[in-house]
Amino acid sequence: MRSRSASAAVVLAALIIGLSVCAQAQQTQPATTQAAMRGIFVTLSKVYDYSFDATAFADPKNRSEILGTLTALARNAEELNAHGGGLDPSFDLARRSISRDATEALASYRDQNFIGSRFILNRITDNCVTCHTKLPAERQFGPGKAFLDSIDMEKLPLTVRANLQIAARQFADAQKTYEDVLADPKMTADDLAAFDVFPNYLRVSVGSMNDTKRPAATLEKFAKRADMPPALKADVAVWIQSLQTLKLDAAKGGELVTARAMVADARAKTAALSDRSRLVDFVGAISLVHRYLREGSRSDMEKAEAYYLLGVSESFVSRSDWISETDYLLEKAIRTAPKSDTAKQSLAFLEEYHRSGYVVPARAVPADMQINMDELRKLVQK
């Protein structure tokens, strides 16, 4: 058996494409497409003999195999973008991002920009986490478990392991892995906060698993750590309290109303976008809104409010500058119902979000973003 050499990012990205198409679209795509996507996943999973190795990734001996995988990745990503309908539009950004990033990764590799290619491929996993934690855990994908069983997961960093488990929709395993990360003595409390372990753990536990008791108990143990900085200690205390009172199932039939109240209350208790004290509330609201969008057709006014609530909530949960769902969702809210009060609220929050520095810190707003904002203002003001 060959040593695991080149970049695991190749297979991570390929896995994301296969699973994103199969697990999310299996109820809406023709049987022939389902079979093709499953076949792509199985084929790509067999080439998992790579690891994180920059030298091997650039080695000419591996070029044919890596180039073939990247070409298939880009082709399947475009297929997902073009034909991955059937989901609510909040998934559109992830589909477009995967297609764009896969194409750029292939182009970079062809240009022998190996660092850029590997960077883009590794960041594609953000799309996976973003997409799959929107769907309930009961939507499983059979080959995912078999794939993970074929990998020496113990050799992977815990955070990478968790991302793979989410990609394979093995949410219970991912939940346990994140708990192992939180208990890892090699990781300081500050490190865990910087690496976004908390929002990812809560997305899996609350959003996918509909579980509040287990994360509450886990965070109670975590709160006893001696290296807790005061600000994080205070946030964890609020998260525990929020988990103990959060009852998402009680909102059945009134998900949008409940999410609206949760977001309003959480925003009233946060001083700035950097304030993560209400992380649980925003994650819970995101889960409720996605339930609402899944469970029936909605009017434009209802969809606009749903996108607004998602956009606001994501701004307090996500810190990735690679996938900014907030921009996309708030723009979607405005364009869906441009004459509504929701559109005005969305525009106001979007402007606040841009001023916060999370989108384009320490530099001027790009021209294309400024043009788009001007267009959105005209839509709302007409």
Side-chain angles (χ1 to χ4, degrees):
M1 187 171 110
R2 287 179 297 171
S3 62
R4 293 176 180 176
S5 46
S7 175
V10 173
V11 181
L12 285 176
L15 174 64
I16 290 162
I17 297 302
L19 289 178
S20 293
V21 175
C22 294
Q24 296 174 25
Q26 59 184 321
Q27 299 302 320
T28 59
Q29 298 296 323
T32 53
T33 302
Q34 294 178 35
M37 294 304 101
R38 285 176 178 270
I40 290 167
F41 168 74
V42 171
T43 301
L44 292 173
S45 69
K46 290 179 180 178
V47 301
Y48 192 91
D49 56 0
Y50 302 120
S51 64
F52 297 101
D53 187 333
T55 300
F57 191 78
D59 192 331
K61 292 187 299 183
N62 298 320
R63 182 172 179 81
S64 177
E65 188 169 6
I66 294 175
L67 187 61
T69 304
L70 289 174
T71 301
L73 171 62
R75 183 173 60 248
N76 293 316
E78 177 54 33
E79 180 74 11
L80 172 64
N81 186 38
H83 304 293
L87 301 167
D88 75 71
S90 65
F91 286 86
D92 289 353
L93 179 63
R95 291 195 292 119
R96 294 173 189 173
S97 296
I98 289 172
S99 179
R100 177 201 64 205
D101 296 343
T103 299
E104 289 183 4
L106 173 60
S108 293
Y109 187 81
R110 282 175 170 164
D111 291 342
Q112 298 189 38
N113 177 10
F114 302 121
I115 293 176
S117 182
R118 293 178 71 243
F119 173 78
I120 294 170
L121 285 168
N122 277 281
R123 294 300 293 267
I124 288 179
T125 57
D126 286 354
N127 283 288
C128 180
V129 174
T130 298
C131 235
H132 285 185
T133 52
K134 292 178 181 179
L135 295 167
E138 58 265 23
R139 295 191 185 183
Q140 294 292 332
F141 180 60
K145 184 64 165 61
F147 173 77
L148 294 182
D149 288 343
S150 72
I151 301 169
D152 188 357
M153 297 286 282
E154 296 300 319
K155 291 186 177 180
L156 296 176
L158 288 173
T159 51
V160 174
R161 193 183 308 174
N163 276 351
L164 272 173
Q165 289 163 335
I166 293 173
R169 298 192 57 76
Q170 305 299 309
F171 293 112
D173 293 339
Q175 185 181 38
K176 174 62 169 60
T177 300
Y178 278 126
E179 290 165 355
D180 290 342
V181 175
L182 292 169
D184 186 355
K186 297 177 183 177
M187 297 279 283
T188 68
D190 277 332
D191 287 340
L192 293 166
F195 293 148
D196 274 352
V197 172
F198 299 109
N200 288 343
Y201 176 54
L202 290 170
R203 282 186 190 272
V204 170
S205 296
V206 176
S208 301
M209 301 291 291
N210 195 26
D211 181 357
T212 56
K213 292 183 179 179
R214 181 162 167 172
T218 297
L219 290 176
E220 284 178 342
K221 293 179 182 178
F222 181 82
K224 298 176 182 178
R225 288 182 57 142
D227 65 341
M228 290 274 283
L232 181 58
K233 189 177 183 68
D235 284 348
V236 171
V238 177
W239 298 342
I240 293 169
Q241 185 178 27
S242 296
L243 286 166
Q244 291 171 339
T245 58
L246 186 64
K247 308 292 182 186
L248 296 182
D249 287 341
K252 188 171 180 59
E255 289 87 355
L256 192 66
V257 173
T258 303
R260 181 191 306 143
M262 288 175 64
V263 170
D265 182 65
R267 286 192 66 192
K269 294 175 179 176
T270 50
L273 288 172
S274 58
D275 185 346
R276 285 204 156 180
S277 61
R278 297 293 156 177
L279 182 60
V280 171
D281 304 84
F282 287 118
V283 170
I286 290 170
S287 179
L288 286 177
V289 174
H290 281 298
R291 291 186 192 185
Y292 173 80
L293 290 172
R294 285 197 305 269
E295 291 174 2
S297 60
R298 307 298 178 187
S299 68
D300 284 347
M301 291 292 291
E302 292 170 327
K303 287 188 287 188
E305 183 176 10
Y307 301 145
Y308 166 71
L309 294 174
L310 287 174
V312 171
S313 297
E314 286 290 350
S315 72
F316 286 92
V317 175
S318 176
R319 286 294 181 266
S320 172
D321 57 1
W322 194 253
I323 305 172
S324 178
E325 284 208 288
T326 293
D327 275 88
Y328 171 78
L329 289 164
L330 293 176
E331 179 177 345
K332 191 74 176 176
I334 294 169
R335 293 187 183 279
T336 300
K339 304 308 175 190
S340 66
D341 288 339
T342 297
K344 295 177 182 177
Q345 291 176 304
S346 298
L347 180 62
F349 190 89
L350 187 55
E351 291 174 332
E352 176 189 345
Y353 182 62
H354 286 179
R355 289 194 299 270
S356 73
Y358 280 113
V359 183
V360 282
R363 61 180 184 269
V365 174
D368 58 344
M369 181 181 289
Q370 188 61 59
I371 292 172
N372 192 54
M373 285 298 297
D374 290 343
E375 181 184 346
L376 294 177
R377 291 189 189 98
K378 289 178 182 178
L379 284 175
V380 172
Q381 293 168 1
K382 278 185 179 179

